[in-house]
Every structure is written in C-alpha cells, then in structure tokens.
Amino acid sequence: MADTLPSEFDVIVIGTGLPESIIAAACSRSGRRVLHVDSRSYYGGNWASFSFSGLLSWLKEYQENSDIVSDSPVWQDQILENEEAIALSRKDKTIQHVEVFCYASQDLHEDVEEAGALQKNHALVTSANSTEAADSAFLPTEDESLSTMSCEMLTEQTPSSDPENALEVNGAEVTGEKENHCDDKTCVPSTSAEDMSENVPIAEDTTEQPKKNRITYSQIIKEGRRFNIDLVSKLLYSRGLLIDLLIKSNVSRYAEFKNITRILAFREGRVEQVPCSRADVFNSKQLTMVEKRMLMKFLTFCMEYEKYPDEYKGYEEITFYEYLKTQKLTPNLQYIVMHSIAMTSETASSTIDGLKATKNFLHCLGRYGNTPFLFPLYGQGELPQCFCRMCAVFGGIYCLRHSVQCLVVDKESRKCKAIIDQFGQRIISEHFLVEDSYFSENMCSRVQYRQISRAVLITDRSVLKTDSDQQISILTVPAEEPGTFAVRVIELCSSTMTCMKGTYLVHLTCTSSKTAREDLESVVQKLFIPYTEMEIENEQVEKPRILWALYFNMRDSSDISRSCYNDLPSNVYVCSGPDCGLGNDNAVKQAETLFQEICPNEDFCPPPPNPEDIILDGDSLQPEASESSAIPEANSETFKESTNLGNLEESSE
C-alpha cells in the first residue's frame, strides 16, 4: 500500500496520541492534506485503551524489549549531498518497571478460550523482591500464544458506541461497538453494521461462576473483551477545554460519557463520601450544622475570589494548605477542601493555585450532573480515535504499523523537507509533528523527563459499598512522607464498559518518586486485600479483594521546551505524551498552540458545515457529506435514558 501513498502532503503527523490526533483533525478540517502515521498497531499510543487480551499482548511487547525492525541502509542511500537525516527511534522506551500479579484462582480443569493466561501468583502484593519474579513468572513468555500485534487488535482495543449517535451523558444503554478496519499497512476508522451486530455488548453476564463470590482468572480471560483498560487514567472536567472542543467541533457525536457519581475521601483508615453540591452539603451527616455554614461561606468566596483580593493578598507566598489554616475552617473541612475539592498538593500548591482549582471544581458542578467530571464510555482511548475519525472524514490518510525511518533535513535552510518510511518511500511535507517517544536518545540527550507511577487493579467490589453497585468514584489519598506525592484513585464500574459485570476496574496514579509499585503499594494495602482462597467464603471482609494487578511507570514528557531537543528543525513540532494531571487541558492547549503555528489566524476545529449548505459536485460524495455533517436526532426512547450533550448545554446555560 505504501507505493500508492501520495508523495506530498501539507502536514505529516507521527503518533496517534490525543494531542497529535486533535492537531491532525484541526489541520484536515482547515483543508490541509494530512498524513497520520503510527508504527504501533493501535490508535492512541500511551493514551490507548485495551481489552484484557490486548493488554497482555501489549505487556509481551515490552517484555521482549527488542527492536522489531532491524537497521536497513535503504533510507541512507536516498539522502542527497545537501541533506542530512535525523533517524527516528524504532523502540518505545516510555514504559518501565512493568510488574503483573494475578490473585484470582485458576481452575486448571477449565479450558481458557483466550490465549495469554498468566500463571497464578501466590505471592502477596507486599512481597519484597518482585521485579525479577514479575518479569519472569507473571508476564507471558515468548512460548505462550498471545494475540498478535496487528491491525485486528483495534477491534479489541477500544470498542465504542455507534458514531452515528450523538454524544450522550448518563447513557444507560449502549447500542453497539465500533471496529476499525485495516489492511496490512493502512488504517482508516470506519464502521460496519454487520460487524457491530456481532460485537454488541451483552446486557447479562451468562458465564457461570463456579461458586458464589468467586471470580476465576479463566473467567476474566473469557470475558476479556468486556474490559477496556486505559494506559493513562484521566477524567474530563465538564467545563474543561476538551469538552468545549468536543462540542464546538461536533466530534462529541462519536463518543458517549457517564457522570462520575461520587467523590470520596480517605480519612483515619476509612473511605467516606464527600458532599459536592449545596444539597449534598446540607444533607450530609458527616458535617455539623456549624461546619456546613462554614463550608458554604468559604466555597461562595472561592467562586468569586478575584473580587476580594484583600482576603488572600497577604497569603500569596504561602501554600494553600497553610492558607486554609488561617480561614475559619475546622480540620475536617480543611481536609475536604484540600484533597477532595481542590485536589492539590499540601506542599507544592500556592494559595492562588488552590483558589483557582477550587473555583474550577465549583464552576464545573451541575453542568451535566452532581459532580464536575465525565468519563468516556469504553475508556480514555476513545478520545484520540474520535478526532482521528474527524480527520479521516475531511480527507486525512491513516497508516498504522507504518514506521518512519528518518526525517530529511535540508542543510542550507535547516528545515525538514521530507520523511522516508519503512519501505524507502520519500514523502514531502511542509510541516511535521512528531510524538516525543519517536525521537532517538541523541535528539533527547538534554531532556529531563519526569515519570508517572500507574497501577491498574481488577477488584471484586467497590471501595465504598452502597445500595447501587454502579458507582464511578474518584478518591485522593494524601502523601504521607516528604518527597512523596498524593495518589489519585479512580474506580470504574461495569456500566462504563471498561470491566466485566461483578468486577471493578481501579486506576491509581501519582507522580513518580520510585518505581510504580514502591510508590503505590502502600495505598493499595490501605484500600484492598489480595484475593485468596481462604477468604473467598468470608463474607465479613470489609476491603475489596484484588483479582489482578498491574504496575508500571510511564514517561511524562509534558511541558518540555523545544530548545531541550538537539538540532530540532524549525518546522518540526514536538507533541508530548500524557501528563500526570487529572484533566486533558494540557493536551488541548498544546494542540491549539501548535495548530496556530502551522495555520496562523485560522479557526481551531470549527463546527462542520450544515449539510443543507453543502453543494455537491456528484452524488458519490453524498454519503461522506452526510456522515461528516448530519447530526442524528435522538429518538424519544433513547432520550429518556440518556441526554444529548447539546441539549444539556442549552438547558444548563
């Protein structure tokens, strides 16, 4: 397929993470010819989501830790005398310290339908020496049969709802899944009614459980396609930049969202729910009447703190934690504001930062629900694919499993003029956007990267049991020791389409100070216990039981100046990977900034044209125009259970 690619584009984007996908969509929408390539076999890069078997394949890829493509002199022969080449890396080094633990019982007499089953780990999470053991015993070996890293993995990567449905919030029912069809070298997001009918989520879990409250590892493998496990754990602020961009560009119709139903706090060894809205505050039994009045008065001030500079002017040089102590707030209220509303660090956040974070939290309340946050059904990995689809609708060309060997730079102008791909084809372009992980060590020798510590747990119950088992929760566990960081915990239920029925998917995230397991293990021990045979019948166990756990460190390449990269041509722009923040504002700001450099004075992701205003040259273009522009109307039955984002926006405004 490579020989049929056009030889010239306006913009070439390397990597399919969220910032790159937004830029590709914006450039394509503005009429630029866009080529979007990725050496991986799936969309999203480190923003991706995987089914359980897909995640095992991803783990195996990093376990092998070797280059897939060997050095080839083919591209070197194409470099002319007045040119030089910047070789790109063919090995992703953004993931480190991968450790996997399986606690769910393995029924050896039961056939496991999906390949890649891990051997049961009898060690507890608290075992001391586990790095080598995890890499050698708990990760799949080369002899084990795993799903191959191919374009077909997109089917397992992040199933999604029918793109023809408008974005819905609090949708209880989801009508179908999407599948991206790929040939050997080119992938363009598309949908097929026949394929979707085969992949429609089943409402009831028909798998027989051997015993009550017992979930085996074989069962997790069999139900693996019900899991959509994010590599990066984030939420969307209901008035954040990404939600605004989704609405403005109409990309929102390619995805659906659910509200985060509750915000939790961890105090004195107990998990408790934090009141968010005014009604929650006054209905709370955790707060005294005096505390309720104190809290409402302080939150009212935070909503308009800029109007009262005298209230905080003398405290700008101290931390928000110290500032809260000067206010008429009890220690209980200080804790709630600090860790569950502002969600800032006790040592690193200034007074202004804390007031801004509190105002942002309050500003987002009530737009789509009782909390400020939304979560995309089928996982965070849906978002890059939504923007990739928009890019493809407006003419962008997509190639997965298509590596770029080098950038070709003109010696005289010091500008990049072309790329040379894995087949030796030279493709010319004016602008080049490259995800940070594709640069070689020589290019990044002066870059100082931070790290993100991540853990993914599959558990058998929620951290805080209530009448409903379909709760989506966020919890911040404060740092205990100097030099460590607060841990963010996001717990997802099966209605988010990220885990099988009867389980919860738990994401833990913090800025790294050590390896992921060393950073997060103490929090895991506070909130959960390992799933063991002895405790299966014990109904009195208060903590959720861990069925399966994954720890890894991810590179944080955000907020790195382009001057840190060696000899970077002026028309080559760097896109960073995920940052450690809760929201996605950093990715949107980065995308808009780079877009304005490429397309100055042009609108960033404008709304698609009204189909009635489109003048077509031929009937053959009608389906594409309809798909890119038409906004389907929600029927009355669907509207009862879920609400269109645009309708919500109108009512809330």
Side-chain angles (χ1 to χ4, degrees), residues 301-348:
F301 158 71
C302 289
M303 278 295 294
E304 299 179 333
Y305 75 91
E306 296 99 332
K307 296 181 180 180
Y308 309 100
D310 294 340
E311 295 290 331
Y312 62 87
K313 198 169 185 180
Y315 305 102
E316 294 175 328
E317 302 301 323
I318 64 175
T319 64
F320 187 55
Y321 178 68
E322 294 295 330
Y323 171 73
L324 290 177
K325 291 181 178 179
T326 67
Q327 302 302 300
K328 296 180 180 179
L329 298 174
T330 64
N332 184 30
L333 295 180
Q334 292 175 26
Y335 187 95
I336 290 175
V337 172
M338 186 77 203
H339 299 293
S340 299
I341 296 179
M343 298 183 184
T344 57
S345 168
E346 293 183 359
T347 57

Side-chain angles (χ1 to χ4, degrees), residues 167-174 234-238 243 255-262 368-379 468-473 490-498 641-643 645 648:
L167 184 144
E168 298 177 353
V169 180
N170 293 328
E173 297 293 330
V174 179
K234 289 180 174 290
L235 300 176
L236 285 78
Y237 281 93
S238 63
I243 287 292
E256 293 176 273
F257 297 83
K258 286 188 74 72
N259 267 113
I260 303 303
T261 57
R262 59 186 183 177
Y368 298 124
N370 203 32
T371 70
F373 305 112
L374 298 175
F375 180 79
L377 291 186
Y378 301 100
S468 171
D469 62 350
Q470 296 300 309
Q471 298 281 0
I472 312 171
S473 312
I490 296 177
E491 182 184 70
L492 305 173
C493 60
S494 59
S495 65
T496 62
M497 305 300 175
T498 59
E641 297 180 344
S642 58
T643 309
L645 183 58
L648 268 175

Side-chain angles (χ1 to χ4, degrees), residues 344-369:
T344 57
S345 168
E346 293 183 359
T347 57
S349 298
S350 67
T351 298
I352 299 299
D353 292 337
L355 290 173
K356 285 181 179 178
T358 304
K359 179 180 178 178
N360 184 48
F361 180 98
L362 298 172
H363 183 62
C364 294
L365 277 176
R367 188 181 192 185
Y368 298 124

Side-chain angles (χ1 to χ4, degrees), residues 152 154-155 177-181 189-192 195-196 199:
E152 281 69 30
L154 285 170
T155 308
E177 299 183 357
K178 78 178 176 187
E179 182 173 354
N180 296 326
H181 301 277
S190 62
T191 57
S192 168
D195 292 329
M196 284 193 296
N199 296 324

Side-chain angles (χ1 to χ4, degrees), residues 44 77 81 120 158 196 234 267 309 315 379 396 415 461 600:
D77 297 337
E81 291 184 4
K120 182 181 177 182
T158 58
M196 284 193 296
K234 289 180 174 290
R267 292 196 65 195
Y315 305 102
K415 284 192 173 184
R461 70 175 79 170

